[in-house]
Amino acid sequence: LDSAMRQSRGRDIIDIGKDDFPLPVLGPIFDDMRRELLHGRGFFLIRGIPVRDYTMEESARVYWGLGAHFGTPRSQNGKGHLLGHVCDLGSRYDAMKKPATSRIYQTRIRQRFHTDSTDFVSLLCLQKSKSGGGSSICSSVAVHDEMYRRDPDLLAELYRPFWRDRRGEVPPGRRDYYPMAAFHYHAGLLSAIYARDYMESCSRFPELPALTDRQVAALDLFDSLVESKEFRLDMAFEPGDVQMLHNHQILHAREDFEDWPEVERKRHLLRLWLCPPDGRPLPDSFEERYLKLDIGDRGGIIGGDSRLNVPLDPV
């Protein structure tokens, strides 16, 4: 990784692709890991990237180059950020505020289990918090099957569309909200797309119907399972750790945290949303959120004036 990073210095980070970041030893290992993400357990955690020896630009370059072996980067917000910074910016998150002014990853508060709008989501830990901030993941497939055993009628509710809030990041020609079920069975594969905060905040739109009692009961059962020790896997990040998840089968969450008072010690993670060249087929309903369904070229968030960029500072 270090050698490839130094070889890539003649290119801007945004222009680095897989071929520009040669990994003759790690490359085949990463290919196997990508297939495991797509067809196996759906997640991995690797350790040992020497981020404390790197500048921010070097860490970003290494992480971007590593990510290029798993897929192409997608925009993570309406600002067109292809490289995300997950840290507390002192923002106050208000799910009901209109228009939205912040995303929950820019705060210290707990993130409930959810999926992101891309095939793969990845994090690189640069600095950990003083306390808290642990990551939790859960198999949406396992929870689906447990819901079927416990209450198949409630499970059926999650196959029906819920209104979802775009939280102000609205692609051209689209509305502030859209319909989307939580579970989709397509081409022999079960895919989940879930974010309860974005379902509940649709109540700020008076023209939309309120969640029914049955919908709330289905969400409550789902959440009780993903939060349970039976289905949840917890992990604590150390500097140099990289986590990568397959959103269609793995949900993720983060506990709240206490940060260090010194700016240079504050919790800081880099994030990539990646679209692999060999991902699974997705149903037509995903087009409303992913904007395209083409394998290898889909997903991400695009606003009305998005310009793709790679920021090296949290903004």
Side-chain angles (χ1 to χ4, degrees), residues 148-308:
Y148 179 78
R149 285 188 285 270
R150 295 192 185 193
D151 195 326
D153 290 337
L154 278 186
L155 173 63
E157 291 290 333
L158 298 184
Y159 274 93
R160 301 184 180 109
F162 287 69
W163 288 105
R164 311 280 187 113
D165 190 351
R166 294 192 194 273
R167 301 294 297 131
E169 296 175 316
V170 185
R174 308 279 175 151
R175 295 182 294 176
D176 290 334
Y177 44 79
Y178 61 97
M180 178 71 71
F183 283 121
H184 305 255
Y185 191 73
H186 177 72
L189 297 167
L190 178 67
S191 297
I193 179 167
Y194 186 80
R196 185 166 182 169
D197 288 349
Y198 286 67
M199 299 172 182
E200 292 178 333
S201 70
C202 274
S203 62
R204 67 197 183 105
F205 299 106
E207 65 270 28
L208 296 182
L211 291 171
T212 68
D213 291 344
R214 294 289 293 169
Q215 287 177 317
V216 172
L219 296 175
D220 286 346
L221 177 56
F222 182 90
D223 283 349
S224 71
L225 292 173
V226 298
E227 294 285 357
S228 70
K229 292 184 178 179
E230 181 181 0
F231 293 98
R232 192 185 77 227
L233 174 65
D234 300 327
M235 58 184 75
F237 290 151
E238 295 292 334
D241 287 359
V242 173
Q243 180 195 70
M244 196 170 293
L245 312 173
H246 188 207
N247 272 299
H248 306 313
Q249 68 188 87
I250 300 291
L251 301 119
H252 59 284
R254 183 200 71 199
E255 63 179 345
D256 58 3
F257 62 91
E258 178 187 2
D259 222 340
W260 298 97
E262 301 89 352
V263 172
E264 67 275 9
R265 298 180 70 188
K266 287 186 177 296
R267 184 181 192 269
H268 193 169
L269 288 79
L270 298 181
R271 183 174 65 183
L272 288 172
W273 284 6
L274 299 167
C275 182
D278 48 355
R280 65 172 56 183
L282 294 174
D284 291 345
S285 55
F286 269 65
E287 191 273 340
E288 185 64 60
R289 185 58 179 168
Y290 279 56
L291 303 181
K292 298 172 66 176
L293 298 176
D294 302 344
I295 292 175
D297 184 18
R298 65 190 183 196
I301 296 173
I302 298 294
D305 56 354
S306 296
R307 181 184 62 83
L308 299 180

Side-chain angles (χ1 to χ4, degrees), residues 1-6 8 13 16 21 23 30 49-51 54-69 124 242 270 272:
L1 288 171
D2 187 74
S3 174
M5 179 267 288
R6 298 185 190 286
S8 73
I13 292 177
I16 296 172
F21 204 85
L23 299 174
F30 285 167
I49 295 179
V51 293
Y54 289 149
T55 64
M56 172 61 73
E57 193 272 346
E58 289 172 334
S59 291
R61 190 173 287 273
V62 165
Y63 184 42
W64 182 280
L66 181 156
H69 285 259
L124 166 64
V242 173
L270 298 181
L272 288 172

Side-chain angles (χ1 to χ4, degrees), residues 9-24:
R9 280 181 167 164
R11 288 180 173 270
D12 291 339
I13 292 177
I14 198 170
D15 295 325
I16 296 172
K18 180 178 179 179
D19 293 341
D20 306 305
F21 204 85
L23 299 174

